[in-house]
Amino acid sequence: MTPEELQAARDRTVPDVVTGGLRVLFCGINPSLMTGATGHHFAHPGNRFWPVLHRSGFTPRQLDPAEQNELLRYGLGITNVVARATARADELSAEEYREGGQILRAKVKTLRPQWLAIVGVTAYRTAFGRRTARIGPQDHTIGGAQVWALPNPSGLNAHWTVQSMAEEYGRLLARVDEATACTPEAP
């Protein structure tokens, strides 16, 4: 990918990978330029989403970004707080986050996932006015879905390793599986 091709992807949007009734809807901050250029979520080579998703147990093997639609087979989906592609999340305004939060709330209400997993606690805080939120399960719902704030898998997030992120994503998976096991089957 040339620098010109990446720059041409600025402000592009990428279609969500969604369907109704997902177990978990993962919500990124916004698409990277690489994601905008390829049309595949979490496509930047330094992004650790796909390895973390596999190591945590959400997928039986590590998927390539081009295989993103395979997530639907596992009851998983992807969207973003802000739809437009940028080189860095710090190019987004607080107003874009808040507007994105309103759009996300409506999307979740329509799609009805069991869990909304926002990958990036700072984006979550800004989009939903939860200034003191921490990584982990949250004490409220969004659009009817339970909420879990996860660490941002960007390679720029040096506070979390692949292993420590996989452990946190695994905590979410355990809660999802626990809730699924407790849900009675419809007659």
Side-chain angles (χ1 to χ4, degrees), residues 18 89 117 134 138 142 157:
V18 296
R134 300 210 182 285
Q138 303 303 304
I142 292 176
N157 181 0

Side-chain angles (χ1 to χ4, degrees), residues 9-149:
R10 184 173 296 281
D11 297 326
R12 279 190 194 157
T13 60
V14 177
D16 294 337
V17 177
V18 296
T19 191
L22 295 167
R23 292 183 326 147
V24 180
L25 177 58
F26 289 96
C27 181
I29 297 170
N30 76 304
S32 68
L33 294 181
M34 183 66 77
T35 289
T38 64
H40 303 128
H41 292 274
F42 300 103
H44 190 282
N47 194 294
R48 300 168 293 177
F49 178 78
W50 298 104
V52 167
L53 205 62
H54 170 61
R55 288 188 187 187
S56 65
F58 274 105
T59 59
R61 65 178 178 83
Q62 184 174 321
L63 300 175
D64 183 78
E67 298 176 292
Q68 64 188 12
N69 289 330
E70 291 291 311
L71 290 176
L72 298 174
R73 293 177 48 197
Y74 308 114
L76 309 173
I78 303 176
T79 189
N80 288 287
V81 174
V82 177
R84 73 181 184 95
T86 61
R88 297 175 51 104
D90 62 7
E91 296 176 38
L92 302 171
S93 70
E95 183 59 30
E96 284 179 284
Y97 281 111
R98 288 189 292 273
E99 287 174 9
Q102 292 172 356
I103 292 166
L104 181 59
R105 186 181 310 277
K107 188 179 299 187
V108 170
K109 191 172 183 179
T110 299
L111 294 171
R112 303 186 50 79
Q114 294 171 14
W115 286 89
L116 174 63
I118 301 176
V119 293
V121 70
T122 303
Y124 169 66
R125 289 173 183 151
T126 306
F128 295 100
R130 299 282 178 159
R131 293 185 315 214
T132 60
R134 300 210 182 285
I135 296 294
Q138 303 303 304
D139 63 359
H140 72 290
T141 61
I142 292 176
Q146 298 176 81
V147 180
W148 198 291

